[in-house]
Amino acid sequence: VRENRLLSLLLQISETLVKNGPIQTQEELPKMFCHTLNAKQCAVYLLKDSNYFLTQHYSASTPFHFPYVVQQSGLTLSASAQYIDCQEKSDRLSLLNDWSRCMLLPFLRKEKIIAGVFLVGWNLVSELDSMCYEEQRTLQAISQLLTEIYCVFPLIDSLSQREQFLMALYQKTEQEIEKSRREVSMALHDEVGQVLTSILLQLNLLQQSDDLNYVKGRLGGLHHITLQTLNEVRRISHNLRPALLERLGLQAALEAHIKEYTDSTNIEVEFRSHNLEERIPSYAENIVYRAVQEGLTNVARHAKASSVFIHLSKKCNNLLLQISDNGLGMKKTQSYGLGLLGMEERVKMAKGKFWLLQREGQGLSINILLPLV
Ligand SMILES: Nc1ncnc2c1ncn2[C@@H]1O[C@H](COP(=O)(O)OP(=O)(O)O)[C@@H](O)[C@H]1O
Ligand SMILES: [Mg+2]
């Protein structure tokens, strides 16, 4: 009878997995365990930053005590599935819940790291006592299947999502490069090229003339269009952001961009920087410049804000950027688009941290922490 229980559990899990996929199976598992094995309680803990966090629990009887966080040392874990008589060997959770029997099914990553654990507890003698060899093996198989459901499938999902996103980001970057090339080439050809040709023609005319007064009269006009061309060249180079960044540095480039932004949107921007007298590495300048550019564009497009506060500071080889607006904020259900994802991706590639903050009734705040090497 006992072996049938474990086997039927294994089959039930596999069938649910095939029918409903990993996410729904996850949801159903704790209840399924309790019912099939006549257990009292069940909890799932997943490892994050060297602590285990409660991600699911189910109880056939109350009260129960599942702390939100359990330190690694608070769970006696081995790398294989265990069925434990709690009178001999106890850990915090079995003590808290007064379990007499407990089952620990670890989710293994890279053979040794225990990425999470599935816990089942009984408060009376359970039917699984004194398992035979076959049952032990079934238990190991269940543990492996749980590893797939809780660790492998989500990993595959997030990897394929990431791949899709990287493709989209790559395409967008390519398009942007192409667009800016076209703009520069058009500006050079249509405007600068035209004016230079006209200057050349006029110079030819002047060269052929012996009338000094006529030549002097034409020089004023030539001077004027030369000045115009110079301005046009300045405008083109101004639009080639990296060059501007390279020459003037982050602070000046940001100030120039902010001025242009406020002029065209009427949104006020308060920019404060701290400890940035020296130049920072160019990869960091680029990340910050692009983040500010995208952040400000988003405020104009989505936030309905009247002002933005940008704070950039350097402390102990870390650069902290904060862009906060006083607008509507982001809806909880709203997912990232290419703008925010691209920002996050650039920050991650530089081993930095990216996070959004939002308080009730306040606008959005983008935060970036970059280590400077
Ligand atoms: N400052 C902001 N205030 C309110 N909503 C925002 C803000 N920034 C971004 N959002 C929301 O987040 C979404 C994703 O932004 P983003 O990744 O830049 O993509 P996109 O701007 O192309 O829509 C936006 O469509 C918008 O709904
Ligand atoms: Mg955007």
Side-chain angles (χ1 to χ4, degrees):
V1 175
R2 275 185 346 227
E3 192 190 350
N4 278 347
R5 277 249 151 112
L6 281 177
L7 263 182
S8 98
L9 182 63
L10 182 60
L11 282 176
Q12 216 177 320
I13 301 172
S14 321
E15 276 165 13
T16 317
L17 186 58
V18 172
K19 217 167 89 194
N20 301 334
I23 298 192
Q24 207 181 323
T25 308
Q26 262 187 30
E27 279 169 26
E28 294 175 25
L29 276 171
K31 197 172 170 184
M32 199 191 286
F33 266 76
C34 281
H35 284 192
T36 316
L37 301 178
N38 256 330
K40 189 185 171 200
Q41 281 138 2
C42 184
V44 181
Y45 281 86
L46 291 179
L47 184 68
K48 201 181 163 210
D49 305 330
S50 80
N51 281 321
Y52 289 100
F53 288 85
L54 181 68
T55 43
Q56 273 180 289
H57 61 82
Y58 178 83
S59 177
S61 66
T62 43
F64 55 90
H65 304 279
F66 295 126
Y68 178 59
V69 192
V70 179
Q71 284 189 341
Q72 247 172 331
S73 55
L75 284 171
T76 334
L77 288 178
S78 90
S80 55
Q82 286 174 294
Y83 178 73
I84 302 165
D85 182 340
C86 296
Q87 264 123 40
E88 305 157 14
K89 212 175 168 189
S90 58
D91 56 53
R92 234 177 99 209
L93 282 170
S94 14
L95 281 177
L96 274 174
N97 286 295
D98 198 19
W99 289 338
S100 60
R101 304 286 186 276
C102 165
M103 194 156 78
L104 293 166
L105 307 173
F107 314 144
L108 296 185
R109 189 179 297 155
K110 288 183 199 150
E111 288 174 11
K112 286 212 180 81
I113 300 167
I114 297 175
V117 60
F118 198 97
L119 290 143
V120 192
W122 292 261
N123 58 350
L124 294 169
V125 175
S126 103
E127 298 159 36
L128 294 183
D129 277 349
S130 59
M131 268 189 268
C132 67
Y133 179 65
E134 291 304 319
E135 291 166 312
Q136 297 275 7
R137 285 187 36 180
T138 314
L139 204 57
Q140 301 299 338
I142 291 177
S143 182
Q144 268 178 23
L145 193 54
L146 291 184
T147 302
E148 302 225 339
I149 294 170
Y150 281 95
C151 300
V152 181
F153 282 119
L155 200 64
I156 293 173
D157 259 11
S158 73
L159 281 177
S160 73
Q161 256 179 24
R162 204 176 139 76
E163 193 193 345
Q164 274 176 12
F165 152 66
L166 283 176
M167 294 260 286
L169 190 66
Y170 173 75
Q171 277 166 4
K172 190 184 165 218
T173 314
E174 283 275 279
Q175 280 165 7
E176 271 172 10
I177 293 173
E178 196 46 46
K179 183 169 159 255
S180 103
R181 275 202 193 122
R182 226 178 306 132
E183 275 170 13
V184 172
S185 126
M186 260 165 63
L188 284 177
H189 177 268
D190 294 356
E191 290 165 46
V192 181
Q194 299 277 3
V195 188
L196 284 178
T197 312
S198 133
I199 294 175
L200 204 65
L201 289 174
Q202 293 193 44
L203 284 175
N204 279 343
L205 276 177
L206 294 187
Q207 222 170 16
Q208 286 158 24
S209 166
D210 295 328
D211 183 346
L212 199 60
N213 281 337
Y214 170 76
V215 173
K216 274 190 173 165
R218 299 299 295 257
L219 278 180
L222 270 176
H223 187 264
H224 179 71
I225 46 177
T226 310
L227 210 65
Q228 262 186 335
T229 319
L230 197 63
N231 282 338
E232 181 59 21
V233 171
R234 286 213 181 102
R235 192 189 62 79
I236 295 169
S237 92
H238 193 86
N239 282 346
L240 290 176
R241 180 184 349 88
L244 185 75
L245 253 183
E246 212 162 287
R247 218 160 8 99
L248 302 182
L250 183 59
Q251 181 112 0
L254 283 176
E255 275 162 7
H257 179 71
I258 288 169
K259 186 176 180 311
E260 221 176 284
Y261 176 81
T262 303
D263 286 348
S264 65
T265 60
N266 253 338
I267 298 173
E268 236 168 83
V269 181
E270 185 184 340
F271 173 48
R272 257 189 246 164
S273 65
H274 180 67
N275 225 352
L276 274 164
E277 295 75 29
E278 283 166 38
R279 290 291 291 262
I280 54 170
S282 67
Y283 75 89
E285 288 192 334
N286 267 317
I287 293 173
V288 169
Y289 189 87
R290 280 175 160 265
V292 169
Q293 210 179 21
E294 176 65 28
L296 286 178
T297 308
N298 277 352
V299 173
R301 275 171 68 190
H302 312 295
K304 294 205 164 60
S306 60
S307 71
V308 185
F309 177 68
I310 300 176
H311 192 201
L312 181 66
S313 64
K314 193 172 83 173
K315 199 178 168 195
C316 310
N317 266 339
N318 278 313
L319 193 68
L320 183 69
L321 170 71
Q322 197 177 25
I323 310 167
S324 320
D325 64 65
N326 67 346
L328 301 173
M330 210 166 140
K331 287 194 201 90
K332 282 223 170 70
T333 48
Q334 177 68 52
S335 52
Y336 291 10
L338 281 185
L340 290 175
L341 280 170
M343 216 187 277
E344 182 178 28
E345 193 60 31
R346 279 187 210 103
V347 173
K348 271 195 198 154
M349 275 198 278
K351 298 198 163 52
K353 288 202 166 82
F354 171 93
W355 70 103
L356 298 179
L357 281 179
Q358 188 156 270
R359 274 188 223 111
E360 195 65 32
Q362 289 180 16
L364 186 73
S365 162
I366 297 172
N367 297 269
I368 288 173
L369 184 77
L370 277 182
L372 301 172
V373 283

